[in-house]
């Protein structure tokens, strides 16, 4: 959608934010954008169709979303830090959200593929036995994030990765898992969690997008 504007420029306004819409310039790249704090427990509701329109109005092209937990693919020539800042500013203003909950993690195509390629051996390969999740870190180093986990022997396992933590709990014993205890920590505000199934579906969606120029 909206990917046929190369070579044109127009001004758009998103709740008082004037931005330059450049279409899809020759330097554009594809990014995975993970949103934290939307559509959680009935709060901070953002319909995906409205989210796509908002991002397109901000100048992003080839916008696609996967389920309602804040998984987006966009194309832009902006730097990842600028992508995150622009979206973090726009979402509360456009959807009346609690901006204290909103965080954005932006990954290049290569970075997102590395999450799958560098997983621990066997991770995510036994969905009948284990619940497997990827915890994407936002502005926090892995060592600090790992320090808040207290995995229960025989139930939980966690592994550090590059900008992520892989977590797995035994499905038959999930009520005994300690992984949920991270929710009450200050570090939790710098994490956003995706199931392994969602992560793989997002990778598959990413693979359907055109290669970067």
């Amino acid at each position: 959608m909206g990917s046929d504007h190369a070579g044109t420029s127009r001004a758009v306004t998103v709740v008082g934010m004037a931005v330059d819409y450049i279409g899809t310039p020759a330097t554009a790249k594809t990014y995975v954008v993970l949103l934290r704090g939307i559509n959680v427990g009935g709060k901070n509701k953002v319909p995906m169709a409205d989210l796509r329109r908002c991002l397109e109005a901000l100048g992003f092209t080839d916008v696609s979303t996967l389920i309602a937990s804040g998984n987006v693919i966009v194309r832009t020539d902006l730097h990842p830090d600028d992508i995150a800042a622009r979206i973090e500013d726009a979402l509360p203003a456009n959807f009346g959200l609690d901006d204290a909950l909103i965080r954005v993690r932006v990954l290049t195509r290569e970075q997102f593929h590395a999450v799958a390629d560098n997983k621990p051996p066997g991770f995510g390969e036994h969905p009948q036995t284990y619940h497997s999740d990827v915890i994407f870190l936002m502005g926090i180093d892995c060592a600090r994030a790992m320090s808040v986990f207290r995995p229960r022997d025989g139930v939980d396992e966690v592994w550090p990765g590059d900008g992520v933590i892989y977590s797995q709990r035994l499905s038959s014993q999930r009520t005994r898992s300690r992984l949920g205890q991270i929710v009450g920590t200050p570090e939790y505000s710098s994490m956003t969690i995706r199931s392994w199934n969602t992560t793989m579906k997002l990778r598959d969606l990413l693979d359907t997008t055109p290669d970067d120029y």
Side-chain angles (χ1 to χ4, degrees):
M1 296 177 62
S3 61
D4 56 349
H5 300 285
T8 64
S9 177
R10 62 186 173 87
V12 297
T13 300
V14 181
V15 188
M17 294 175 56
V19 299
D20 290 330
Y21 186 96
I22 308 298
T24 305
T27 56
K29 293 184 177 181
T30 300
Y31 294 93
V32 174
V33 179
L34 302 177
L35 310 179
R36 183 188 190 279
I38 70 167
N39 298 330
V40 178
K43 299 179 180 179
N44 275 3
K45 293 183 179 180
V46 179
M48 292 299 97
D50 293 345
L51 175 62
R52 289 191 294 273
R53 283 191 288 269
C54 175
L55 296 180
E56 288 167 353
L58 286 171
F60 300 107
T61 62
D62 299 328
V63 179
S64 55
T65 58
L66 175 70
I67 62 179
S69 56
N71 312 292
V72 187
I73 294 175
V74 303
R75 198 172 184 86
T76 179
D77 65 340
L78 292 174
H79 185 276
D81 291 344
D82 296 327
I83 298 171
R86 184 169 290 194
I87 295 174
E88 286 177 355
D89 287 343
L91 291 186
N94 282 270
F95 297 102
L97 309 182
D98 181 352
D99 58 1
L101 299 177
I102 301 301
R103 298 286 298 276
V104 175
R105 172 78 189 273
V106 180
L107 298 97
T108 66
R109 185 190 297 269
E110 294 77 17
Q111 287 172 327
F112 197 82
H113 271 281
V115 172
D117 295 341
N118 299 329
K119 70 181 181 67
F123 181 85
E125 296 175 8
H126 305 282
Q128 316 302 331
T129 305
Y130 298 102
H131 281 60
S132 304
D133 299 299
V134 181
I135 301 166
F136 292 86
L137 306 180
M138 302 168 150
I140 184 175
D141 64 71
C142 197
R144 180 181 170 190
M146 284 288 291
S147 71
V148 303
F149 287 85
R150 301 288 185 271
R152 185 185 292 276
D153 288 345
V155 178
D156 305 318
E157 288 188 86
V158 293
W159 299 265
D162 184 6
V164 300
I165 292 174
Y166 302 91
S167 74
Q168 185 170 273
R169 60 191 187 276
L170 191 62
S171 298
S172 63
Q173 299 289 320
R174 63 185 179 275
T175 58
R176 300 181 63 236
S177 172
R178 291 177 180 165
L179 296 181
Q181 294 178 4
I182 65 172
V183 174
T185 67
E187 289 78 7
Y188 181 66
S189 64
S190 297
M191 305 176 186
T192 188
I193 303 173
R194 298 296 183 274
S195 71
W196 185 246
N197 184 51
T198 295
T199 303
M200 291 299 92
K201 286 183 177 179
L202 189 55
R203 184 195 62 177
D204 292 344
L205 180 60
L206 179 63
D207 286 346
T208 69
T209 64
D211 291 337
D212 297 331
Y213 301 126

